[in-house]
Amino acid sequence: MHPDVVALTLSEDHAVLGVLVPGDFVDIYVTETTDDGTSTRLAAGAVYVIDVIESGDEFGSTRSARLLLAADEELARRVISARHAGDLDLVRVAR
């Protein structure tokens, strides 16, 4: 049986410089800007990385990490909501 999966594409500077491998766990933070200022919050913690695909433009100046993350329905909803709410950053965590 395969886990449910959610996909994220982030520039490497928001994805641990792209130094992620399958089997890692990441915390996902979202930074939102409102009229009251900027705030950062944990959107999802200890999310399991299923796969990582690095990509870049033809000159290598814009690199991104495309991630497949294990997610149940609630986690997928939080990740998708955070992606639309602001900028995402990943932190690799020990588990």
Side-chain angles (χ1 to χ4, degrees):
M1 182 168 179
H2 296 286
D4 292 342
V5 176
V6 65
L8 274 182
T9 299
L10 298 172
S11 63
E12 283 188 341
D13 60 330
H14 292 275
V16 196
L17 294 178
V19 184
L20 292 169
V21 296
D24 281 344
F25 288 86
V26 294
D27 286 349
I28 302 172
Y29 288 88
V30 58
T31 301
E32 301 169 279
T33 302
T34 65
D35 293 338
D36 296 328
T38 301
S39 66
T40 300
R41 65 178 171 83
L42 179 66
V47 180
Y48 183 77
V49 177
I50 295 172
D51 201 2
V52 180
I53 303 164
E54 294 181 38
S55 62
D57 68 13
E58 61 191 53
F59 301 108
S61 63
T62 304
R63 300 213 32 97
S64 63
R66 298 179 338 193
L67 307 163
L68 295 179
L69 306 172
D72 61 16
E73 184 177 337
E74 176 58 28
L75 178 58
R77 186 178 299 117
R78 287 197 323 258
V79 170
I80 292 166
S81 177
R83 181 172 53 195
H84 292 287
D87 294 322
L88 298 184
D89 287 280
L90 303 182
V91 176
R92 185 173 51 206
V93 295
R95 173 104 187 211

